[in-house]
């Protein structure tokens, strides 16, 4: 089995769009979901067999070598996953099948996973996988820390079964058709980032479980226009300004006893930050868990300005507020920070100037490991040791992270042209986990720039054959530009290859991270508060102007812009509001009516639409449809339950009513993540041809 990076090459006759689709954005073959045992001896991960296989298997790295632990094909023909699992995968943007998630006992000696709804158990000692009996299709199985019990969800109820297959029983049954135990609601999984909804007590006697009541949430219906005989799927979607699901916590003992957790209803008004709109009700459960010190959770107010960290008494359900957080804009939570605080750890009183912490990875031997950036285009692994201070662990420019256990550190490093996963024991490399992704047929050649007064981080891609001064190049901007994601990074990422491919067709391509994107401090991140459009669009235009001053071959009289999701919204907004700068746009999955996006994400930036309607009016696109004077192509996945098709349809209706010509491309059966061969590849060609025609290339 491979233990070194063996990056595959595509067939010589294959173009990049087809390779892009067949490799699922060059993601297949990369190790994911890495777990290190507490003694540091075993490393578990999932990975497909190569850069073309879409079936993930479970692997083990031990004694310097990796081996296949569970092959899903050996367990029978794969079937259809249950609906709850499909929804979970969509929220996680999962692009492969097979074994895509798993859970272990505390020692990482036993593993459980679900496959097409069947519940399986395997051992890291090579024991053959064994199927466990269930009451129905199993979703999100979790192994008790002592490895004796498995919890899972079926039919929205929480069940448990012993690892020997006996004692299967229901622990928590939904009291109504809209109630579930152990599953995340839409907002928690999509916008908060909390996919997990149950946590075992260390002694295996009980679980802390999320209870969701979706009955207050409005119902939307997602249909398949190409299959009119198929009934629409009901979708509980809490759009901005509408009621959320009622989310609560329950301690469920394995003997059947249930203790509701007495969560606080609202924040103390004396300390809750003021604003044009305030809502101090605690509607969001941001995180939960159960460690050696007890059960805990963090709750957040509807307006996201206050959060309480809670210690939970599992016997009575009583809570104690152990920490209060407030912010005048909104609160964001550093992954791993709660675990560090509960363990008594710290990063010291002073970090190096300009260092932004991204995540706390954990601690070992008194040293705390974390990821942080002192330059927005790079993320490195750092170590803090009391008495010694902070030191950077990784050196090569790129995006690095790590997983640790015992004295073992697994470094996952992405540089511009390489992706490696290295296992270190006590600081000494003991081997590599194979990265089997394909190398793009087009070699990315980004030039990283810092432009204008705001030092906008920008990547410029020029054709490999271009010679300075030989010809002027039309420009394509491909940015995301929104919260939670950067595209200007010194790491091997799919968009670098796609942007270079566009450049090879005769364009200069720019990707720009402006205000609102992560990695540049609080003021930069919150610069879009109340207005998600004006500063973002201004940054794209300013970077374009600065790039053209530095590279005169950029033809600013022919500028196209393309993007997906927030990037699609940005592209459509560009030709509506700045037609003198942007001359054509391709907008995919664009949220055009921001009142149709979910509560947590949109209210964070724009407030409540009934209290601050001017923010939604200014930033939504539908009300400004009459301004269109440039070519615009709208693309939409018709099965998208994140940016629902209503966004495209309302915008197109408004454009038609205003007499504005535009192109609409519906992608039948596609969700928010488009990876299917025959769609993802063709879509790139359609983007190219539309922009070439619109810009007279």
């Amino acid at each position: 089995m491979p233990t070194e990076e063996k990056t595959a090459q595509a067939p010589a006759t294959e173009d990049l769009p087809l390779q892009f689709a067949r490799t699922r954005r060059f993601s297949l073959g990369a190790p994911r979901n890495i777990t290190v045992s507490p003694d540091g001896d075993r490393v578990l991960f999932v990975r497909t067999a190569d850069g073309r296989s879409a079936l993930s298997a479970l692997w083990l790295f031990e004694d310097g070598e990796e081996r296949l632990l569970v092959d899903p094909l050996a367990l029978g023909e794969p079937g259809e996953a249950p609906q709850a699992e499909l929804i979970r995968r969509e929220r996680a943007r999962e692009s492969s099948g097979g074994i895509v998630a798993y859970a272990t006992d505390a020692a990482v000696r036993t593993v459980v996973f679900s496959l097409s709804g069947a519940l399986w158990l395997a051992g890291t000692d090579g024991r053959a996988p064994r199927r466990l009996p269930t009451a129905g299709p199993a979703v999100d199985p979790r192994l008790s820390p002592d490895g004796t019990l498995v919890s899972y969800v079926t039919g929205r109820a929480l069940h448990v079964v012993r690892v020997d297959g006996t004692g299967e029983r229901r622990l928590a049954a939904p009291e109504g058709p809209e109630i579930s135990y152990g599953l995340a609601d839409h907002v928690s999984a999509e916008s908060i980032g909390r996919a997990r909804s149950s946590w075992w007590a260390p002694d295996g006697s009980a679980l802390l479980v999320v209870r969701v009541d979706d009955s207050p949430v409005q119902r939307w219906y997602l249909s398949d226009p190409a299959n009119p005989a198929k009934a629409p799927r009901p979708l509980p979607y809490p759009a901005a300004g509408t009621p959320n699901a009622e989310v609560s916590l329950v301690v469920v003992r394995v003997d059947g006893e249930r203790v509701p957790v007495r969560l606080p209803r609202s924040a103390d008004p004396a300390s809750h930050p003021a604003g044009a709109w305030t809502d101090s009700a605690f509607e969001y459960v941001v995180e939960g868990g159960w460690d050696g010190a007890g059960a805990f959770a963090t709750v957040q107010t509807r307006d996201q300005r206050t959060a309480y960290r809670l210690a939970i008494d599992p016997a009575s359900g009583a809570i104690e507020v152990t920490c209060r957080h407030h912010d005048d804009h909104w609160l964001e939570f550093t992954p791993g920070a709660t675990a560090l605080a509960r363990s008594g750890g710290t990063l010291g009183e002073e970090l190096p100037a300009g260092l932004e912490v991204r995540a706390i990875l954990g601690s070992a031997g008194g040293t705390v490991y974390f990821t942080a950036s002192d330059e927005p285009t790079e993320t490195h692994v750092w170590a803090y040791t009391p008495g010694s201070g902070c030191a950077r662990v990784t050196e090569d420019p790129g995006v690095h992270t790590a997983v640790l256990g015992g004295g073992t550190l697994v470094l996952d490093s992405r540089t511009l042209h390489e992706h490696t996963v290295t296992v270190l024991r006590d600081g000494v490399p003991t081997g590599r986990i194979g990265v089997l992704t394909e190398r793009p047929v087009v070699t990315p050649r980004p030039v990283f720039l810092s432009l204008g007064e705001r030092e906008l981080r920008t990547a410029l891609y020029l054709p490999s054959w271009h010679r300075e001064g030989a010809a002027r190049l039309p420009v394509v901007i491909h940015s995301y530009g929104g919260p939670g994601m950067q595209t200007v990074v010194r790491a091997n990422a799919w968009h670098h290859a796609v942007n270079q491919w566009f450049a090879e067709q005769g364009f200069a391509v720019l990707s720009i991270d402006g205000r609102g994107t992560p990695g540049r401090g609080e003021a930069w991140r919150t610069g879009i508060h109340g207005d998600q459009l004006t500063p973002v669009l201004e940054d794209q235009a300013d970077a374009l102007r600065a790039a053209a001053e530095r590279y005169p071959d950029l033809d600013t009289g022919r500028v196209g812009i393309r993007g997906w999701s927030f990037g699609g919204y940005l592209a459509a907004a560009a030709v509506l509001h700045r037609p003198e700068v942007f001359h054509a746009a391709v907008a995919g999955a664009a949220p055009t009516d921001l009142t149709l996006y979910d509560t947590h994400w949109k209210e964070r930036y724009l407030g409540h639409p009934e209290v601050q309607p001017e923010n939604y009016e200014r930033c939504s696109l539908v009300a400004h449809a009459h301004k269109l004077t440039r070519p615009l192509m709208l693309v939409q996945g018709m099965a998208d339950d994140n940016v629902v098709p209503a966004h495209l349809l309302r915008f197109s209706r408004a454009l038609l009513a205003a007499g504005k010509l535009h192109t609409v491309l519906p992608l039948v059966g596609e969700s928010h993540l488009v990876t299917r061969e025959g769609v993802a590849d063709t879509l790139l060609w359609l983007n190219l041809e539309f922009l070439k025609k619109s810009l007279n290339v």
Side-chain angles (χ1 to χ4, degrees):
M1 296 298 175
T3 58
E4 295 293 332
E5 182 186 13
K6 294 186 178 179
T7 304
Q9 298 292 334
T13 57
E14 189 172 72
D15 57 43
L16 183 123
L18 189 56
Q19 185 192 25
F20 176 73
R22 288 176 173 173
T23 61
R24 308 281 172 91
R25 302 184 177 193
F26 304 101
S27 66
L28 301 177
R32 301 181 297 117
N33 299 346
I34 297 171
T35 302
V36 183
S37 63
D39 59 11
D41 291 343
R42 295 169 299 286
V43 180
L44 284 170
F45 60 96
V46 296
R47 189 187 60 202
T48 61
D50 53 46
R52 294 294 173 104
S53 170
L55 197 67
S56 290
L58 185 62
W59 296 78
L60 173 69
F61 181 93
E62 190 176 27
D63 297 327
E65 296 184 350
E66 64 177 57
R67 62 183 172 90
L68 180 62
L69 195 63
V70 182
D71 180 358
L73 292 177
L75 305 182
E77 287 296 320
E80 183 71 18
Q83 183 65 34
E85 171 63 11
L86 294 176
I87 293 173
R88 187 200 68 77
R89 293 185 184 189
E90 178 63 21
R91 299 283 72 80
R93 304 293 187 264
E94 177 60 60
S95 62
S96 68
I99 304 171
V100 298
Y102 63 91
T104 74
D105 61 347
V108 191
R109 293 191 178 278
T110 306
V111 189
V112 291
F113 57 90
S114 63
L115 187 63
S116 304
L119 178 59
W120 291 87
L121 180 141
T124 57
D125 58 0
R127 286 171 290 167
R130 181 162 47 87
R131 184 171 178 176
L132 300 178
T134 60
V139 176
D140 196 26
R142 299 284 170 177
L143 196 58
S144 64
D146 63 2
T148 61
L149 296 168
V150 181
S151 65
Y152 67 95
V153 178
T154 188
R156 295 176 290 106
L158 182 73
H159 286 244
V160 70
V161 62
R162 296 191 186 97
V163 294
D164 63 4
T166 65
E168 200 288 330
R169 60 195 183 279
R170 187 170 58 186
L171 292 183
E175 298 86 350
E178 308 299 337
I179 295 172
S180 64
Y181 285 89
L183 295 176
D185 61 293
H186 179 91
V187 160
S188 294
E190 180 66 42
S191 294
I192 296 176
R194 179 184 57 75
R196 186 169 179 176
S197 294
S198 65
W199 302 269
W200 277 99
D203 64 1
S205 64
L207 298 103
L208 179 65
V209 182
V210 174
R211 179 186 184 270
V212 174
D213 183 353
D214 271 325
S215 59
V217 183
Q218 65 182 359
R219 285 303 179 276
W220 289 353
Y221 298 89
L222 203 60
S223 63
D224 181 357
N227 187 1
K230 185 177 180 180
R233 175 167 71 90
L235 179 65
Y237 194 100
T242 68
N244 276 314
E246 293 180 359
V247 181
S248 56
L249 293 170
V250 182
V251 175
V252 181
R253 297 187 58 83
V254 294
D255 61 11
E257 181 185 0
R258 291 166 52 186
V259 180
V261 177
R262 300 201 290 271
L263 296 176
R265 292 182 178 274
S266 60
D268 180 357
S271 59
H272 187 67
W277 166 63
T278 59
D279 190 335
S280 61
F282 283 115
E283 295 195 10
Y284 302 118
V285 176
V286 175
E287 62 181 344
W290 206 325
D291 56 23
F296 64 91
T298 300
V299 294
Q300 186 182 35
T301 56
R302 173 76 180 244
D303 63 13
Q304 302 181 53
R305 293 194 188 99
T306 292
Y308 288 177
R309 187 184 300 154
L310 311 173
I312 300 168
D313 177 7
S316 65
I319 60 98
E320 177 188 357
V321 180
T322 60
C323 188
R324 290 173 169 84
H325 299 280
H326 306 283
D327 192 273
D328 290 336
H329 298 100
W330 67 80
L331 285 164
E332 294 190 31
F333 304 91
T334 302
T338 295
L340 179 65
R342 287 180 60 82
S343 70
T346 178
L347 289 182
E349 297 195 4
E350 291 187 8
L351 293 172
L355 190 67
E356 178 159 347
V357 176
R358 304 277 192 144
I360 310 297
L361 304 175
S363 57
T367 296
V368 178
Y369 293 88
F370 60 100
T371 55
S373 300
D374 50 12
E375 155 56 40
T377 61
E378 301 180 28
T379 299
H380 287 274
V381 176
W382 290 71
Y384 168 74
T385 305
S388 301
C390 291
R392 207 166 85 173
V393 175
T394 51
E395 293 299 330
D396 293 338
V399 173
H400 307 262
T401 188
V403 182
L404 63 151
T408 294
L409 188 71
V410 180
L411 283 177
D412 191 329
S413 298
R414 294 174 183 261
T415 59
L416 190 56
H417 296 296
E418 190 177 29
H419 180 191
T420 60
V421 179
T422 308
V423 182
L424 298 95
R425 189 69 182 260
D426 299 323
V428 178
T430 62
R432 281 188 175 182
I433 293 173
V435 178
L436 310 180
T437 53
E438 279 194 10
R439 194 176 299 278
V441 295
V442 173
T443 300
R445 303 169 68 248
V447 178
F448 292 96
L449 306 170
S450 182
L451 299 174
E453 293 181 359
R454 289 184 292 280
E455 298 181 342
L456 297 161
R457 298 311 194 268
T458 303
L460 169 65
Y461 310 79
L462 296 172
S464 58
W465 42 263
H466 178 70
R467 298 295 175 262
E468 184 177 353
R472 303 202 72 197
L473 298 170
V475 180
V476 170
I477 292 178
H478 180 214
S479 301
Y480 179 75
M485 180 178 172
Q486 295 171 257
T487 56
V488 187
V489 290
R490 297 176 187 270
N492 113 347
W494 66 264
H495 53 265
H496 287 318
V498 170
N499 289 343
Q500 189 65 49
W501 178 75
F502 268 91
E504 299 301 332
Q505 314 308 310
F507 292 94
V509 180
L510 290 170
S511 187
I512 303 144
D513 284 343
R515 280 168 285 179
T517 57
R520 292 193 64 174
E522 182 179 1
W524 186 266
R525 188 176 65 249
T526 60
I528 58 171
H529 193 227
D531 188 349
Q532 268 199 289
L533 179 58
T534 307
V536 176
L537 197 51
E538 184 179 30
D539 287 345
Q540 299 294 311
D542 285 355
L544 169 63
R545 181 172 55 252
E549 290 173 355
R550 191 177 300 187
Y551 294 86
D553 286 351
L554 273 60
D555 185 354
T556 56
R558 293 183 294 168
V559 178
I561 182 169
R562 57 180 294 269
W564 191 265
S565 195
F566 190 95
Y569 162 77
L570 175 61
V575 291
L576 287 182
H577 294 287
R578 300 294 299 272
E580 76 284 3
V581 176
F582 305 98
H583 309 112
V586 179
T592 63
D593 182 346
L594 300 188
T595 64
L596 293 179
Y597 207 77
D598 78 58
T599 50
H600 190 271
W601 199 248
K602 276 298 159 236
E603 291 174 5
R604 164 184 287 187
Y605 307 111
L606 301 181
H608 195 290
E610 293 181 3
V611 180
Q612 296 167 287
E614 68 280 3
N615 291 348
Y616 288 82
E617 176 80 9
R618 177 173 54 250
C619 296
S620 292
L621 305 181
V622 173
H624 303 279
H626 63 281
K627 298 178 180 178
L628 182 67
T629 58
R630 298 295 191 183
L632 171 63
M633 180 165 76
L634 302 173
V635 186
Q636 177 70 45
M638 300 307 287
D640 191 339
D641 63 358
N642 177 30
V643 179
V644 296
H647 285 275
L648 173 140
L649 297 173
R650 289 189 181 187
F651 190 34
S652 179
R653 180 176 62 188
L655 290 167
L656 287 171
K660 301 299 180 179
L661 299 180
H662 62 288
T663 300
V664 172
L665 177 61
L667 305 179
V668 176
E670 296 299 320
S671 64
H672 199 63
L673 180 65
V674 177
T675 59
R676 187 156 52 96
E677 182 181 343
V679 181
D681 49 328
T682 307
L683 185 56
L684 285 178
W685 284 109
L686 289 169
N687 270 241
L688 175 65
E689 292 307 312
F690 181 84
L691 290 171
K692 288 175 68 174
K693 179 180 179 181
S694 300
L695 299 175
N696 296 316
V697 177

